[in-house]
Amino acid sequence: VCTCSGGTAATGAACSQDSAEICDSCNAGFEKNGKICEANVCTCGGGTPATGAACSQDNAEICESCDTGFQMSGSICEAHVCTCSGGTAATKAACTDDNAEICDSCNPGFKKSGDICEAHVCTCSGGTAATGAACTDDNAEICDSCNPGFKKSGDICEAHVCTCSGGTAATGAACSQD
């Protein structure tokens, strides 16, 4: 009588040696290798490979489950794809939900706020506040341009100072230069 782990043992003339491991056919998840049945070995990039009957073809990429940052697509694990407006999107395990806005790092002019990048907000008394990469520090007074009656001094707008000997000096927009 023959034996066969992983399949159906050979019988009759096919069983040429008593107590030998000689298989007639293999169970799901096994393939015949000579006279014996060997378990299929599956691979899985991004997860846990299938085993047993679930591994229906030797050397196939068939996944049982997926790692964090991956999702099942048919029988394989595909990496989640994240987005990030204002920075660099998270990848691999850091991208925990597919199509989610999850940022790994932020571009100049942006700051991390939870998983996303938010634009810095600058102020400018006497002009128009800087935006985007020009707004290098959040809540900073950084001016992009100045209103009439003001001049750029570094990052800020300062009011022109007019003088008038013999009368009243002009102020505001009427004071167009020092």
Side-chain angles (χ1 to χ4, degrees):
V1 175
C2 286
T3 62
C4 179
S5 56
T8 305
T11 58
C15 180
S16 58
Q17 185 181 351
D18 194 31
S19 298
E21 176 97 8
I22 302 174
C23 300
D24 182 46
S25 62
C26 298
N27 296 336
F30 290 82
E31 280 194 7
K32 200 134 181 225
N33 184 4
K35 295 180 180 183
I36 64 170
C37 291
E38 291 182 337
N40 291 337
V41 177
C42 284
T43 62
C44 178
T48 303
T51 58
C55 181
S56 57
Q57 184 179 353
D58 197 37
N59 292 319
E61 184 166 7
I62 302 174
C63 301
E64 181 178 298
S65 62
C66 298
D67 296 338
T68 302
F70 292 83
Q71 64 185 1
M72 193 66 79
S73 176
S75 63
I76 63 170
C77 293
E78 290 183 342
H80 289 161
V81 177
C82 283
T83 61
C84 179
S85 54
T88 304
T91 59
K92 299 184 181 173
C95 181
T96 54
D97 292 314
D98 196 38
N99 294 320
E101 181 157 2
I102 302 175
C103 299
D104 183 50
S105 62
C106 298
N107 294 336
F110 290 82
K111 64 179 178 184
K112 196 93 184 284
S113 178
D115 285 338
I116 64 171
C117 292
E118 292 180 340
H120 288 163
V121 177
C122 283
T123 60
C124 179
S125 53
T128 303
T131 59
C135 181
T136 55
D137 292 314
D138 197 36
N139 296 318
E141 180 152 1
I142 302 175
C143 299
D144 184 48
S145 62
C146 299
N147 294 336
F150 290 83
K151 64 181 175 189
K152 197 95 184 280
S153 176
D155 286 337
I156 64 171
C157 293
E158 293 180 339
H160 287 293
V161 178
C162 289
T163 57
C164 178
S165 55
T168 304
T171 60
C175 180
S176 60
Q177 62 185 20
D178 287 336

